[in-house]
Amino acid sequence: MKATVLMLAMCLSAAHAAVKTCDAKAMGAVADGKAKDTAALQKAIDTCAAQGGGEVLLAAGTYLSGPLDLKSHVHLRLAKGATLLGSPDVEDYPIRADAPWRRVSLIHADKAEDIGIVGEGTVDGQGQGWWTRLLNREKGTPGEVRPMLIDLTNSKQILIEGVTIQNSPQYNILAVLCDGLTVRNARIVNPGVKAPNTDGIDPVSTSHVLIDHVFIDTGDDNVAIKSGLVERGDPDLPSSDIAIRDCTFLHGHGLSIGSETAGGVKNVTVERVTFNGTTQGIRIKSARGRGNDMGPFTYKDITMDNVGTAIQITMYYTGFKGDEVAVPVTEHTPKFHDITIENVTVTNAKVGLLAMGLPESAIKGLKLKNVKISAERGLVARYAEIAESGVTITSTGDGKVGGKKAEDGAGNGPGVVITGK
């Protein structure tokens, strides 16, 4: 037995020794939160990559930095007590030539593989200045282009684990055209409405995604699965094979699929997620000219309390005008199908279930099993095929939301509207 333990210890030591470590402080990083460590941090990344990969260690301290280019086979390890602090200077974040709707971000990677951001430390984007300028801009003027906190493009085998990610100028984690993204045992925190558009995790035309044991409290979608915006000319490539499990979402706009779904979304599974205080819970959203094929999706073992709309499935994300007229189906007509929602308990919601299909494209195969909802308003539905088993939707209000009737102004009981079946 002792020999076996000794051999195991030797193997573990050898495996640990095989991981090359580049210490950022040894490369000249000051880590005092005042002097910019951008050059030293990038030198550590480049040195590590040139050696075939390994870990760039950020020991305890505060590393003030502009954008960093993460290279293949390199993992940033933020030790306990380490903070990577984004520079507040706008000029440090140039607008991307290939994607003018976003700037070069604090941590970015293009065409990289086997990369990671791990450890017990914190990535802090110092987004307050960006949020303030956006919220205080002159009415009717566009906001400035903002950087993300972590921006990954055309990359694969990505691990984000253990870290706290906070105060992003815009989206916290954006993955575009990536394959193999794991976000695990992480925290994403932004101060609610004071931090506009601070989505937690946005996979865009990205496949093989795992979001596991992640806490998100933020100022927009907690998670938003997308696949491109038609008017921006994004490629029509789907997001697919996505699993979200054992997560907790506080403030934010819920777990969204959409609304930018030019390439469609396929094979999403959500299990054991808790929502508390989000404006929406389960949210699938698109609109004419913005969608594609979307399904199958499975949601199971979900708990919600004090949410706005518990389940929102809508093809009218850009606005409902009460128009019953069908229009020709196109490549970018949203097509929602095969959506299973099972073992869901909702308390203290404003709206229980909103299911809004189009006259030319009904929601098909929406299955509700063992769903218990208590809400001020129960059900609003049109152009949706719904099969239910063991469903209880209790309306605690007068059939109005914010003093207004539901979108179609019709109903067959307090808090319940079903049309277009």
Side-chain angles (χ1 to χ4, degrees), residues 69 172 174 191 215 223 232 238 275 311 322 328 372 418:
D69 184 15
N172 287 266
L174 174 66
F215 174 93
V223 172
R232 196 166 56 211
F275 299 81
I311 302 171
K372 313 295 182 186
I418 304 175

Side-chain angles (χ1 to χ4, degrees), residues 13-270:
S13 297
H16 181 74
V19 177
K20 299 181 179 70
T21 299
C22 297
D23 190 320
K25 288 185 178 179
M27 297 287 177
V30 179
D32 65 356
K34 298 177 182 179
K36 287 184 182 177
D37 286 324
T38 313
L41 294 174
Q42 191 62 58
K43 180 181 178 182
I45 293 170
D46 294 345
T47 300
C48 198
Q51 295 174 353
E55 289 187 346
V56 170
L57 174 64
L58 277 64
T62 300
Y63 300 78
L64 181 64
S65 181
L68 299 172
D69 184 15
L70 195 55
K71 303 292 181 65
S72 290
H73 311 298
V74 174
H75 287 211
L76 288 180
R77 178 168 292 278
L78 284 77
K80 187 175 182 179
T83 297
L84 176 61
L85 188 64
S87 166
D89 299 329
V90 174
E91 59 270 21
D92 283 340
Y93 304 91
I95 293 175
R96 293 181 61 134
D98 64 333
W101 58 279
R102 65 193 201 264
R103 292 177 181 269
V104 175
S105 300
L106 180 61
I107 301 174
H108 61 95
D110 289 357
K111 299 182 177 64
E113 63 178 294
D114 179 25
I115 56 177
I117 304 164
V118 301
E120 299 179 72
T122 299
V123 180
D124 189 325
Q126 288 206 94
Q128 295 86 345
W130 299 92
W131 308 330
T132 298
R133 289 192 295 275
L134 180 70
L135 294 171
N136 293 339
R137 72 189 187 282
E138 186 177 346
K139 188 176 181 179
T141 60
E144 67 182 330
V145 177
R146 288 171 283 163
M148 314 303 169
L149 197 49
I150 300 171
D151 184 359
L152 312 164
T153 305
N154 278 307
S155 295
K156 58 186 178 181
Q157 293 177 255
I158 303 154
L159 175 64
I160 299 173
E161 183 174 31
V163 292
T164 295
I165 297 166
Q166 63 189 31
N167 298 324
S168 178
Q170 197 169 342
Y171 306 161
N172 287 266
I173 300 173
L174 174 66
V176 180
L177 299 166
C178 292
D179 187 17
L181 168 66
T182 297
V183 184
R184 185 167 55 208
N185 298 322
R187 290 175 58 87
I188 300 174
V189 184
N190 294 265
V193 295
K194 296 180 181 179
N197 311 118
T198 50
D199 293 15
I201 305 170
D202 283 17
V204 180
S205 296
T206 289
S207 297
H208 305 109
V209 176
L210 173 62
I211 299 171
D212 181 32
H213 285 87
V214 179
F215 174 93
I216 304 178
D217 186 356
T218 192
D220 208 307
D221 293 322
N222 300 79
V223 172
I225 302 167
K226 307 178 184 181
S227 61
L229 186 62
V230 173
E231 51 265 42
R232 196 166 56 211
D234 293 342
D236 291 352
L237 296 174
S239 285
S240 66
D241 302 302
I242 296 172
I244 302 169
R245 64 194 188 201
D246 298 298
C247 294
T248 299
F249 299 153
L250 297 191
H251 302 98
H253 296 179
L255 199 168
S256 296
I257 298 177
S259 69
E260 302 158 20
T261 54
V265 179
K266 302 177 181 179
N267 301 323
V268 177
T269 301
V270 180

